[in-house]
Amino acid sequence: MNERLILAIETSCDETAAAVIKNGNEIVSNVVLSQIESHKRFGGVVPEIASRHHVEEITLVIEETLNKANVTMAEIDAVAVTEGPGLVGALLIGVNAAKALAFAHGKPIIPVHHIAGHIYANRFVSEFKFPLLALVVSGGHTELVLMKEHGSFEVIGETRDDAAGEAYDKVARVLNIPYPGGPNVDRLAFKGQPTISLPRIWLEENSYDFSFSGLKSAVINTVHNAEQRGEEIVPENLAASFQASVVEVLVGKTVRAAKGLGVKQVLIAGGVSANKGLRLGLEAAFANMTDIELVVPPLSLTGDNAAMIGAAGAIAYEQGRRGNMALNGNPGMELI
Ligand code: KG4
Ligand code: ZN
């Protein structure tokens, strides 16, 4: 087989990223420029600032990626880019960079769904075995996705309110932990004990949906009640209690869906898949299930990056999916 090289671009939120991927499952180069320092003082991502940084950096990031891969555009087979979902102004920078490169060098353009990308980060770890179940947990999404073949995504459960990462970030704010809260709450949780009683939101018995806003409110109420009574809350214990609730529900629903649907593999994807509590919980739950393989992405590929877009783009390329010069950013894009 000839080598297939995909240049991938990702700018959906606050990372300016590009990568060169070989044959869909090998990283040749992967550059991620985080804007976290610029957004930190605002306590969250400011869309206008994100767009401005992407404009300033995208050309340099792509150049650096090609240099590190030691390839020229002439050797690239196709340009993959995140079409959505994400911040519209941020997406547009990546999409326009991809269109310009594709047009100038006569290469096909492959539009990629950001969540498909997160799922395909696992392809650098293991070949996919279908049917598989992906637990997607990011700042904007919490979903259980059934895949029966490459490039096909069936959302069997999703959050009805906050995403898991969003709940982490909001709880972090209540505990005065700086942005991005998720990783810091995770670290704090391992220094405490789950001594505070918090709800597990299971919803209807057969539902694969999630809800985290009630848990978030319970955390906020716990803090306010303690303040009013003049009592001290141990942040480590509150973080441990919150994490225990999130992990129990995520693991419980994933295990039930995996068994119920008879899948061969379970993958985790998205920023929250870096969570140590979640990884340990899933590893323990699947340790004795010899017929289901648990796949976790390397920590370097859990956050937003372009390598994952290249992995998903390579499959889309083989399946003949192409964009054209009318391609736009699609902030509310559905995973199908
Ligand atoms: O996938 P991602 O980088 O961006 C989106 O596509 O949304 O996910 C970012 C989210 C943030 O909410 C961040 O706080 C959360 O992932 N996150 C974590 C951890 N690392 C990142 N949440 C919990 N524990 C972590 N270790
Ligand atoms: Zn993401």
Side-chain angles (χ1 to χ4, degrees):
M1 186 174 108
N2 280 342
E3 271 183 9
R4 176 156 296 154
L5 290 176
I6 304 269
L7 171 69
I9 298 170
E10 150 69 40
T11 62
S12 67
C13 191
D14 60 342
E15 262 90 25
T16 315
V20 173
I21 302 305
K22 187 157 108 185
N23 298 334
N25 62 2
E26 202 182 308
I27 297 175
V28 186
S29 65
N30 184 31
V31 177
V32 181
L33 191 71
S34 170
Q35 306 176 355
I36 259 179
E37 287 309 315
S38 304
H39 299 285
K40 217 173 191 168
R41 64 198 159 111
F42 302 105
V45 177
V46 183
E48 180 57 29
I49 293 176
S51 305
R52 243 182 279 168
H53 277 299
H54 287 313
V55 170
E56 284 167 14
E57 306 292 352
I58 188 70
T59 314
L60 297 170
V61 166
I62 293 170
E63 258 176 37
E64 188 186 338
T65 306
L66 290 169
N67 286 342
K68 278 194 171 158
N70 203 18
V71 295
T72 62
M73 274 309 293
E75 295 164 86
I76 295 287
D77 292 283
V79 182
V81 64
T82 306
E83 180 186 359
L87 304 169
V88 66
L91 288 165
L92 272 174
I93 313 298
V95 165
N96 281 315
K99 285 202 291 192
L101 277 173
F103 181 71
H105 298 276
K107 307 290 178 185
I109 186 163
I110 320 289
V112 174
H113 191 287
H114 181 76
I115 295 301
H118 273 302
I119 293 172
Y120 270 87
N122 287 286
R123 191 136 184 262
F124 297 114
V125 180
S126 178
E127 199 46 61
F128 285 7
K129 298 184 191 85
F130 302 105
L132 66 78
L133 180 72
L135 171 67
V136 177
V137 273
S138 73
H141 291 78
T142 303
E143 286 167 358
L144 279 168
V145 179
L146 177 66
M147 289 182 70
K148 292 181 181 150
E149 57 184 13
H150 274 304
S152 126
F153 308 94
E154 213 177 298
V155 178
I156 60 161
E158 61 193 336
T159 183
R160 296 190 186 167
D161 37 63
D162 294 352
E166 197 180 346
Y168 265 94
D169 295 338
K170 285 178 180 166
V171 162
R173 222 170 289 170
V174 176
L175 295 175
N176 285 325
I177 295 168
Y179 178 87
N184 290 327
V185 172
D186 188 13
R187 262 191 296 276
L188 213 59
F190 278 88
K191 293 182 184 151
Q193 295 297 326
T195 51
I196 298 158
S197 162
L198 292 171
R200 270 68 175 151
I201 317 281
W202 292 104
L203 302 171
E204 305 82 41
E205 206 178 318
N206 294 322
S207 176
Y208 291 133
D209 281 351
F210 300 95
S211 166
F212 293 106
S213 74
L215 173 62
K216 176 193 66 189
S217 302
V219 171
I220 294 170
N221 289 341
T222 304
V223 171
H224 287 172
N225 289 344
E227 273 170 7
Q228 275 165 3
R229 289 200 218 101
E231 291 168 7
E232 282 273 326
I233 285 268
V234 180
E236 289 83 355
N237 290 348
L238 189 53
S241 307
F242 167 74
Q243 179 138 306
S245 172
V246 173
V247 169
E248 194 178 316
V249 174
L250 288 176
V251 172
K253 295 221 176 204
T254 304
V255 167
R256 185 162 61 79
K259 284 184 181 166
L261 299 162
V263 299
K264 295 193 178 125
Q265 268 180 340
V266 168
L267 323 176
I268 53 171
V272 186
S273 71
N275 187 275
K276 200 170 150 200
L278 178 61
R279 286 173 172 242
L280 290 173
L282 285 167
E283 276 160 19
F286 285 96
N288 295 324
M289 283 187 239
T290 46
D291 47 344
I292 303 177
E293 182 195 1
L294 175 69
V295 183
V296 295
L299 288 175
S300 59
L301 296 180
T302 55
D304 290 345
N305 63 84
M308 66 186 198
I309 301 302
I315 292 292
Y317 181 77
E318 278 165 34
Q319 294 180 333
R321 301 193 197 184
R322 303 283 183 269
N324 58 33
M325 286 301 135
L327 187 68
N328 220 330
N330 183 352
M333 190 175 178
E334 295 280 335
L335 182 65
I336 39 165

